[in-house]
Amino acid sequence: MGRTSFDLVEPHIPSLRRYALVLLRQDEQRADDLVQDCLVRALSRWHLWRHPGNLRGWLFTILHNIYVNDVARAVARPDVVEIQDYFPSMAVPANQVHSIQLREVVKAIQGLSDPQRQTLLLVTMEGFSYDETAEITGVPIGTVMSRLSRARDKVREEVAGETKSRGRSAT
Amino acid sequence: MSNEITEPREDEIQALVDDRLDPARRAEIESWLLSNPDAAARVADLRAQREAVEQAFSGLLDRPVPAQLQNIDALVSVQPSPVWRMAAMIALVVVGAAGGWFANDAINQSQVVATAFTQDAVRAHSLYVGEKRHAVEVNAQEEKHLVAWLSRRLQNELVAPDLSAQGYQLVGGRLLPASVTGPAAQFMYETGGGERITIYIEQDETGRGNDFEFTSYDGVSAFWWKDGPLAYVLIGKKDRDQLLALARATREQFTP
């Protein structure tokens, strides 16, 4: 505990916050509480971290466990997924994926079950390896792969469905 | 054909989308896709999806980190944790809604201090009450050994309270790790109908008050109290009145 450990943890705060924000569907207060709880636990159990080790993975593991054990059950799943805030400025450069599609992908992800959502986000948004993702979520790697595959296909279907229905209503 | 490419496995497709295949296998699968248009369309969609996810959330990284997460002194001195505070707020609402019929009782409603300790106790309760064969580590047939063992580990004389007058028989107990201090002990009881309650005991050197504190959390109710160096939590799927009667009977036996 002390300066040194916090200095090591600090660079990871933005990505922990991002993950918490997406998991908690942009509820900023809850996300910050979740990250704070994660940091408090990490710093108070600093001796349990094997140095040198994957600090980022360890922090995400702690955050994952707090979310699964304490937060998910206390947070009612909203009926309406608010996606506006993910795009503070809707000025997505022209060479990027079309903003309409971004919205649909986000919406579809937020409609996934928690385990699928977590797996997809850890692999894609956070860039964790499949092994790391298995460690963070506490499941075998085969489960990670099947969750990832199912999550992606589900998002693909949703996005295709949306595009189709929008095309139909436009004609 | 000798150089025929084996059809890619599903995990290889995912690794291809994530660009995590070794170059040789990647090239093989890329050429396999040329003659498998459905699979190729799927891979293209999933790659676009991956890119969309990366872009959609990248802006969140640039948000300024609030002071709450920058002040290390505040962070390490925070007790109880904020997540638990949130659950405690929910418990407060539940207690508030239950009304003021305990105004003259020993319970101070404002003292709904849900601690990390109660949280550990509730978690341990939920984890083990559903177990059939491994509900306890040492069963009631070895009560003497159980009590001596747990007393030694908690460095205090414990008893397994007799709750038979209330219809509960001892199932047994176990030792548990506790996040606050040292190990914790859990005693489990059940009725003839199989309804279970647990008593969770932990050393508590803090100078907190001794009154009963009620919490309702995660579908169960809990009473916390403290006597001397030990703190106790009684947990069950009971209403407040029933649980309070049990808590009182338990407390009397721990502190005759």
Side-chain angles (χ1 to χ4, degrees):
Chain A
M1 211 159 26
R3 262 294 147 199
T4 333
S5 49
F6 187 75
D7 287 348
L8 287 169
V9 163
E10 203 172 11
H12 302 295
I13 295 178
S15 67
L16 287 165
R17 260 192 107 223
R18 170 170 73 170
Y19 184 55
L21 275 167
V22 178
L23 276 185
L24 289 162
R25 301 183 165 83
Q26 292 289 113
D27 183 334
E28 205 144 3
Q29 187 51 54
R30 279 197 164 129
D32 285 341
D33 280 354
L34 175 58
V35 174
Q36 180 175 329
D37 207 42
C38 167
L39 297 178
V40 169
R41 280 196 204 186
L43 294 174
S44 67
R45 293 168 193 196
W46 191 248
H47 58 285
L48 295 176
W49 176 53
R50 278 168 225 286
H51 183 81
N54 180 350
L55 178 58
R56 186 163 175 264
W58 185 61
L59 293 170
F60 271 81
T61 307
I62 294 174
L63 188 134
H64 174 86
N65 288 331
I66 300 172
Y67 175 80
V68 169
N69 291 328
D70 306 338
V71 183
R73 64 171 65 136
V75 180
R77 238 177 113 156
D79 295 332
V80 180
V81 178
E82 195 50 69
I83 58 165
Q84 218 88 331
D85 291 346
Y86 291 106
F87 314 98
S89 66
M90 282 303 293
V92 180
N95 63 339
Q96 298 197 355
V97 181
H98 197 279
S99 63
I100 298 288
Q101 206 210 325
L102 287 189
R103 281 169 169 278
E104 280 159 4
V105 168
V106 170
K107 204 171 140 197
I109 287 172
Q110 294 297 38
L112 293 172
S113 71
D114 256 355
Q116 286 184 10
R117 205 160 63 103
Q118 289 153 357
T119 308
L120 183 62
L121 291 170
L122 289 170
V123 170
T124 310
M125 184 175 82
E126 298 302 334
F128 280 111
S129 72
Y130 304 139
D131 282 328
E132 288 169 328
T133 303
E135 200 142 304
I136 291 168
T137 54
V139 297
I141 190 159
T143 308
V144 166
M145 298 315 292
S146 65
R147 281 178 181 171
L148 184 63
S149 165
R150 271 183 272 134
R152 282 180 163 157
D153 281 344
K154 196 145 179 243
V155 171
R156 181 182 180 225
E157 262 171 52
E158 293 277 319
V159 172
E162 283 276 323
T163 311
K164 222 194 228 162
S165 69
R166 209 185 33 252
R168 222 182 286 129
S169 64
T171 50
Chain B
M1 226 157 58
S2 60
N3 61 346
E4 195 175 325
I5 300 156
T6 50
E7 185 172 332
R9 298 188 314 264
E10 180 54 25
D11 60 329
E12 290 180 314
I13 295 287
Q14 298 302 323
L16 178 70
V17 170
D18 289 318
D19 205 7
R20 295 176 189 180
L21 276 180
D22 68 80
R25 185 60 182 152
R26 183 193 159 121
E28 275 183 4
I29 297 177
E30 297 277 11
S31 71
W32 177 85
L33 289 173
L34 293 176
S35 48
N36 291 273
D38 285 353
R42 178 172 173 244
V43 167
D45 280 358
L46 296 189
R47 278 176 164 156
Q49 183 193 120
R50 198 200 142 87
E51 207 186 316
V53 173
E54 280 171 10
Q55 285 179 25
F57 301 115
S58 63
L60 295 180
L61 280 181
D62 303 328
R63 292 214 185 163
V65 173
Q68 178 187 357
L69 302 179
Q70 285 174 337
N71 185 341
I72 181 176
D73 298 328
L75 282 181
V76 289
S77 64
V78 169
Q79 282 292 344
S81 67
V83 172
W84 176 247
R85 267 205 320 270
M86 190 165 83
M89 301 255 291
I90 296 165
L92 253 175
V93 173
V94 172
V95 172
W101 4 303
F102 285 88
N104 301 322
D105 214 316
I107 309 153
N108 181 345
Q109 297 224 7
S110 69
Q111 275 189 324
V112 186
V113 184
T115 62
F117 171 52
T118 308
Q119 188 184 21
D120 283 345
V122 168
R123 216 181 273 165
H125 173 90
S126 305
L127 185 60
Y128 292 115
V129 283
E131 283 282 335
K132 288 215 158 51
R133 292 182 55 192
H134 305 291
V136 294
E137 209 168 341
V138 177
N139 67 34
Q141 277 92 61
E142 296 177 77
E143 182 178 333
K144 244 178 128 172
H145 160 66
L146 170 69
V147 171
W149 170 53
L150 294 177
S151 297
R152 184 160 38 79
R153 294 307 303 270
L154 269 74
Q155 299 164 25
N156 281 279
E157 283 300 309
L158 303 181
V159 289
D162 179 0
L163 298 175
S164 51
Q166 285 76 24
Y168 288 85
Q169 299 298 330
L170 181 69
V171 180
R174 62 170 67 238
L175 189 70
L176 292 160
S179 65
V180 183
T181 42
Q186 184 191 56
F187 288 115
M188 188 182 293
Y189 291 80
E190 70 180 1
T191 61
E195 185 236 306
R196 286 171 167 176
I197 56 171
T198 60
I199 300 167
Y200 187 89
I201 307 163
E202 190 176 296
Q203 286 171 276
D204 184 351
E205 305 293 353
T206 63
R208 289 201 290 155
N210 298 339
D211 288 345
F212 284 117
E213 290 171 3
F214 179 74
T215 305
S216 184
Y217 170 68
D218 194 22
V220 296
S221 303
F223 267 106
W224 176 95
W225 74 91
K226 181 165 144 55
D227 279 311
L230 296 175
Y232 305 80
V233 186
L234 177 79
I235 302 156
K237 257 195 181 131
K238 316 282 292 174
D239 72 27
R240 190 180 158 126
D241 273 350
Q242 296 170 314
L243 200 66
L244 181 60
L246 285 166
R248 290 211 162 113
T250 305
R251 186 175 195 172
E252 272 166 28
Q253 297 187 45
F254 276 114
T255 46

